Amino acid sequence: SALALLAAAPAFASGSQSTITQSGSDQEAIVNQTEGTSAKSKVTQSGADNYALVKQQGSQNEAEVSQTGADLNNSGSSNIAQVHQDAGSSGNKATVSQNNDNNAYVYQAGRNGLVEVKQEGSDPGTAGQQNDANITQDFNTSGSKSLVTQNG
């Protein structure tokens, strides 16, 4: 199992950036960006059985997770993406793109947020394979939008 862990220092600096690219199987990426503004995180995973978690605090943050791959261990999910953009923030953007048997969980708090989830492909002939998207926009979400596209 490959694990990438990136934690932006809990400082009040703005503009922290992280980029994680992984290929292979049983990958895990965890990003924690705290106490800042305009943080950007990009996680790209290709291969089988991917997991990504991005946590961000502050305003004007962007999280992007892109996953492609198959379910080799028959767990019922090849791609799992979680994005958590915390309360008291505004103007955050979360984008999740997944290919093959997908689960996306996005929690976003604050005003003027945008969530986009695009899920492509699952094998409808295989038991347990499907696309699931769970989007929660909470805590004073005026002006917030979410868009979910699922094919396959």
Side-chain angles (χ1 to χ4, degrees):
S1 159
L3 169 65
L5 175 63
L6 180 62
F12 293 97
S14 64
S16 67
Q17 295 187 20
S18 71
T19 301
I20 296 173
T21 303
Q22 297 175 312
S23 60
S25 61
D26 293 320
Q27 301 163 99
E28 185 174 301
I30 299 172
V31 178
N32 190 15
Q33 294 173 311
T34 61
E35 305 296 337
T37 59
S38 301
K40 293 184 181 182
S41 179
K42 182 175 183 176
V43 176
T44 304
Q45 296 174 316
S46 62
D49 302 312
N50 304 312
Y51 173 77
L53 170 63
V54 178
K55 290 184 178 182
Q56 294 177 317
Q57 292 178 333
S59 296
Q60 304 299 319
N61 296 320
E62 294 181 26
E64 179 182 339
V65 178
S66 176
Q67 297 174 313
T68 59
D71 182 11
L72 292 183
N73 64 17
N74 295 316
S75 67
S77 177
S78 61
N79 298 313
I80 299 172
Q82 293 182 297
V83 177
H84 186 106
Q85 293 174 319
D86 219 350
S89 57
S90 65
N92 289 324
K93 180 179 179 182
T95 304
V96 177
S97 300
Q98 296 173 309
N99 181 327
N100 291 324
D101 199 22
N102 309 298
N103 289 284
Y105 306 95
V106 179
Y107 174 83
Q108 190 178 65
R111 297 178 311 278
N112 300 314
L114 176 62
V115 176
E116 295 179 85
V117 175
K118 183 177 181 181
Q119 296 174 318
E120 300 253 351
S122 67
D123 184 356
T126 303
Q129 288 198 349
Q130 59 193 359
N131 294 320
D132 290 320
N134 184 332
I135 312 301
T136 302
Q137 289 176 304
D138 196 12
F139 186 74
N140 191 16
T141 57
S142 64
S144 294
K145 298 176 185 175
S146 62
L147 172 64
V148 176
T149 303
Q150 295 174 312
N151 294 312

